[in-house]
Amino acid sequence: MAYLILNTDSFNTSLACRKLEYFKKEEYQGIVMSKYLDQKNHSAQTIKMQGKNDYGIILARDTSGFYDYVKAGDSLIKIKGQEYIKVYRQDSILRQFKIYFGCD
């Protein structure tokens, strides 16, 4: 009998680091239209935005608290090369979140 032992910690960290690198390449600015758990995509936290084009942000594995904080009507700005998202509310509140996928 043979046993196979998988080191899921290193696999998950590697996947998280790839997700972070992809996220850093993104750039967007727009208004949050809605947020939902995408049942077809492993219940991924998803934010639907309207800007130059309608698009969605998928935040699988993020633990920054961004998804829980953001709400419809907020304006979001993500600058290419950064791992931060800035959230502006109608009452001029600015909050910045460092999106964290588990990459150390």
Side-chain angles (χ1 to χ4, degrees), residues 9-24:
D9 289 340
S10 64
F11 174 76
N12 286 336
T13 300
S14 174
L15 184 61
C17 291
R18 285 194 308 256
K19 177 70 176 160
L20 176 62
E21 288 307 311
Y22 178 78
F23 178 75
K24 287 167 83 174

Side-chain angles (χ1 to χ4, degrees), residues 16-74:
C17 291
R18 285 194 308 256
K19 177 70 176 160
L20 176 62
E21 288 307 311
Y22 178 78
F23 178 75
K24 287 167 83 174
K25 293 176 184 177
E26 295 178 335
E27 177 178 34
Y28 41 80
Q29 179 174 344
I31 298 172
V32 175
M33 303 307 291
S34 63
K35 67 180 192 176
Y36 59 95
L37 298 177
D38 187 351
Q39 301 301 320
K40 294 179 182 177
N41 191 13
H42 307 286
S43 297
Q45 297 173 339
T46 305
I47 296 172
K48 186 144 179 104
M49 291 183 56
Q50 183 178 32
K52 291 181 182 178
N53 299 308
D54 292 342
Y55 50 94
I57 304 170
I58 299 173
L59 296 166
R61 299 179 55 114
D62 173 47
T63 60
S64 70
F66 167 74
Y67 181 81
D68 292 329
Y69 178 80
V70 74
K71 63 183 181 179
D74 289 346

